[in-house]
Amino acid sequence: MNPPTFNLHDEEEDSASYLLLGEGSFVIDSGNSRLKQLGYKQELNRSLSAIANFSLTFSIISVITGVTTLYNTGLSFGGPATMVCGWPVVGLLTMIVGLSMAEICSAYPTSGGLYFWSAKLCGDEWGPFASWITGWFNIVGQFAVTTSIDFSLAQLIQVIILLSTGGKNGGGYEASKYVVIAIHGGLLLVHALLNSLPISVLSFVGQLAAAWNLVGVIVLTILIPCVATERASAKFVFTHFNTDNGDGISSKAYIFVLGLLMSQYTLTGYDASAHMTEETKDADKNGPRGIISAIGISVIFGWLYIVGITFAVTNIPNLLSENNDAGGYAIAEIFYQAFKSRYGSGAGGIVCLGVVGVAIFFCGMSSVTSNSRMAYAFSRDGAMPFSSLWHKVNNQDVPIYAVWLGAFVSFCMALTYLGSEVAFQAMVSIATIGLYIAYALPIFFRVTLARKSFTPGPFHLGRYGVIVGWIAVLWVVTISILFSLPVAYPITNETLNYTPVAVGGLLILTVSTWILSARKWFKGPITNVDS
């Protein structure tokens, strides 16, 4: 069926709900129409295509970023068997979470995403409280994600400098924590500047980022094992289980579940497609597509990357040793030694690390984009201090103050690294567990309070929606427990997993703020147009 068209002179219709077809005709954009039905004006520039929406989310997931920075964790807890076999399991369960989110996104395509979903699914009585909790877990989780990504890039840059100046065993330069923080601040500054540009520019850069991630995975997956003079056997890659982690853990089952965290840490951030829906054409269809396609392609290419790199692994203890040339950064050591063993110089490996660095840079840029849209929407409903400021958009339809807020808060979170690495790790642990709690809350409300009242959008799971939703909720509960388990024994102040403390602190803060103040004035999403 052809979409309904209208003549240019139908002036009583809301012009923001149409996209120009040509020769005096317009077509209704379904995302725009749905946004108006939900009670919001179209204030952002709706110009992102389905590909652009996918690209921004795919570059945030960025399997090159996650696998590279967390490969040490994978090697320590189970090694090749856990990484290669655990990744598809985590990928499948992540897709189930994504499918449930996509279904809700199709019904409520707004930049507020998760907190707006919770409000609508819980109704008038519980909606404001559910919205408040979901929103704060989501936005603090996003701040932590941006902190973690740009800090990971700062550390990789430090490793590249170390290897370029001779490596740890050759007198290379080892940057202090203050230099790392300075690099981190510089990266956030550049990302904030880029996100101050119009969405059309970010759309182009986002698609470039997606292409870079895809091509980068393919090139590194093939190149590294081919260059390496010593390669692991297929049996080693697919079946070797490493229990020698040096952390006092002997239980194979315990080691295996801890090893799954590498995969789950990587496969996150796909709520970005939901937060970009007010800038995406036909968002009630293309938002869900962005979530599902970004997860699916990330799972496939991430597994290929893990398998390819692991074929170049022959000495796990050396890769994890802080005395190797890369200072214990496993993948950096793999790349460097692969080229050095064949060509007598590790320069090629450093170039490969540069490819990874560019991917992480794009990842951080897209994270700031998503973060700013969440802050824009949350402040639109008055949930944040100085909301009127963070909700402002400039003459290029960019929530400019929200962009710089995200960069500033992320930098402040990273400053904890100067005082205590343990405190810093607790802070950034909210990046994954905080986000997944925010993912699970609206799904839980959809399969309980709104089980019979939920009205799906164009994308829906039909009769399977409830069972898929329950599996998603149970998986988030499971990984929340896994993220909280001790990762080393005996347990001391330095080895204690402070994730429950950080997440519990956030929960106490949000609930107490609600009881003492917010319940008196925060009423959930506030419409600014007539439905």
Side-chain angles (χ1 to χ4, degrees):
M1 179 181 293
N2 292 326
T5 59
F6 298 85
N7 189 276
L8 272 170
H9 302 294
D10 291 335
E11 296 178 348
E12 293 185 2
E13 298 289 346
D14 181 5
S15 60
S17 295
Y18 306 123
L19 297 175
L20 183 63
L21 281 178
E23 292 294 326
S25 296
F26 283 83
V27 61
I28 291 180
D29 179 88
S30 59
N32 237 332
S33 299
R34 182 58 179 148
L35 182 66
K36 186 178 180 182
Q37 291 171 9
L38 294 172
Y40 290 122
K41 295 177 182 178
Q42 181 64 47
E43 296 178 304
L44 302 178
N45 187 346
R46 192 178 290 276
S47 59
L48 293 181
S49 64
I51 293 296
N53 182 286
F54 153 79
S55 297
L56 285 167
T57 301
F58 181 70
S59 62
I60 289 178
I61 296 176
S62 184
V63 292
I64 289 184
T65 298
V67 173
T68 299
T69 56
L70 295 165
Y71 199 75
N72 282 56
T73 300
L75 283 180
S76 297
F77 299 107
T82 297
M83 291 189 290
V84 173
C85 300
W87 179 274
V89 174
V90 173
L92 174 62
L93 291 163
T94 300
M95 177 60 79
I96 289 175
V97 177
L99 285 169
S100 291
M101 289 175 61
E103 182 181 51
I104 305 173
C105 177
S106 183
Y108 308 118
T110 73
S111 290
L114 312 177
Y115 86 89
F116 185 91
W117 303 349
S118 290
K120 289 298 182 182
L121 292 167
C122 285
D124 295 336
E125 183 177 359
W126 289 101
F129 176 66
S131 176
W132 178 262
I133 295 294
T134 305
W136 277 109
F137 265 92
N138 194 187
I139 197 165
V140 173
Q142 286 195 336
F143 287 145
V145 165
T146 303
T147 302
S148 180
I149 294 169
D150 277 11
F151 191 82
S152 295
L153 179 53
Q155 289 183 311
L156 179 61
I157 291 173
Q158 182 265 324
V159 171
I160 290 174
I161 294 172
L162 173 64
L163 292 173
S164 300
T165 54
K168 187 167 184 177
N169 296 316
Y173 172 74
E174 294 186 70
S176 68
K177 61 171 62 178
Y178 296 98
V179 173
V180 173
I181 284 292
I183 295 172
H184 177 261
L187 291 169
L188 284 169
L189 176 63
V190 174
H191 285 149
L193 289 170
L194 285 172
N195 275 278
S196 301
L197 300 174
I199 190 63
S200 56
V201 177
L202 292 179
S203 173
F204 171 77
V205 177
Q207 291 175 70
L208 176 63
W212 186 276
N213 273 272
L214 285 173
V215 174
V217 166
I218 294 171
V219 170
L220 294 176
T221 298
I222 297 172
L223 180 63
I224 298 303
C226 287
V227 169
T229 55
E230 294 184 33
R231 285 183 287 275
S233 65
K235 181 179 180 181
F236 176 87
V237 171
F238 290 96
T239 65
H240 179 70
F241 191 82
N242 178 41
T243 57
D244 185 18
N245 50 64
D247 293 311
I249 301 174
S250 58
S251 169
K252 290 185 177 181
Y254 194 77
I255 290 172
F256 180 79
V257 296
L258 290 179
L260 295 179
L261 298 183
M262 184 204 78
S263 304
Q264 195 63 80
Y265 271 122
T266 301
L267 295 172
T268 191
Y270 43 87
D271 56 319
S273 282
H275 296 306
M276 301 305 297
T277 49
E278 289 187 37
E279 294 161 274
T280 302
K281 300 172 185 175
D282 294 325
D284 52 348
K285 305 180 188 72
N286 291 330
R289 289 170 182 164
I291 294 172
I292 296 167
S293 58
I295 295 173
I297 295 176
S298 295
V299 170
I300 294 170
F301 280 82
W303 188 79
L304 292 175
Y305 184 54
I306 291 171
V307 171
I309 298 304
T310 307
F311 267 107
V313 172
T314 56
N315 189 338
I316 293 177
N318 177 64
L319 294 177
L320 296 175
S321 172
E322 294 183 359
N323 296 318
N324 62 33
D325 282 319
Y329 200 120
I331 280 192
E333 181 71 8
I334 292 171
F335 289 3
Y336 186 75
Q337 293 299 335
F339 279 86
K340 188 174 182 180
S341 62
R342 182 170 292 275
Y343 301 110
S345 169
I350 296 173
V351 171
C352 290
L353 290 176
V355 172
V356 173
V358 173
I360 301 177
F361 178 85
F362 284 140
C363 179
M365 185 206 72
S366 297
S367 180
V368 173
T369 306
S370 176
N371 197 339
S372 64
R373 272 49 179 186
M374 172 58 194
Y376 158 82
F378 209 31
S379 61
R380 177 174 57 189
D381 295 317
M384 299 178 65
F386 309 106
S387 284
S388 60
L389 181 63
W390 316 131
H391 176 234
K392 286 183 179 179
V393 296
N394 62 12
N395 56 9
Q396 296 175 322
D397 299 327
V398 174
I400 189 72
Y401 295 109
V403 167
W404 288 91
L405 171 68
F408 176 74
V409 173
S410 296
F411 179 69
C412 290
M413 292 179 78
L415 291 178
T416 57
Y417 177 72
L418 298 178
S420 168
E421 290 189 32
V422 173
F424 174 75
Q425 291 300 328
M427 184 76 69
V428 299
S429 67
I430 302 174
T432 299
I433 194 169
L435 278 186
Y436 266 96
I437 289 173
Y439 293 174
L441 286 173
I443 299 173
F444 176 73
F445 300 140
R446 182 262 182 270
V447 299
T448 53
L449 295 177
R451 179 171 181 172
K452 296 181 179 179
S453 61
F454 176 69
T455 302
F459 174 84
H460 59 88
L461 302 175
R463 61 180 179 175
Y464 299 105
V466 172
I467 188 171
V468 170
W470 273 116
I471 294 172
V473 170
L474 291 174
W475 175 240
V476 173
V477 171
T478 300
I479 62 173
S480 296
I481 295 171
L482 297 186
F483 282 127
S484 303
L485 293 174
V487 295
Y489 288 91
I491 300 175
T492 66
N493 291 337
E494 294 298 318
T495 61
L496 179 65
N497 185 349
Y498 286 91
T499 297
V501 178
V503 176
L506 177 59
L507 178 62
I508 292 171
L509 184 62
T510 53
V511 172
S512 60
T513 304
W514 171 263
I515 294 172
L516 296 175
S517 175
R519 64 185 176 86
K520 302 173 184 177
W521 50 265
F522 181 70
K523 304 303 178 185
I526 303 171
T527 58
N528 56 21
V529 298
D530 294 330
S531 298

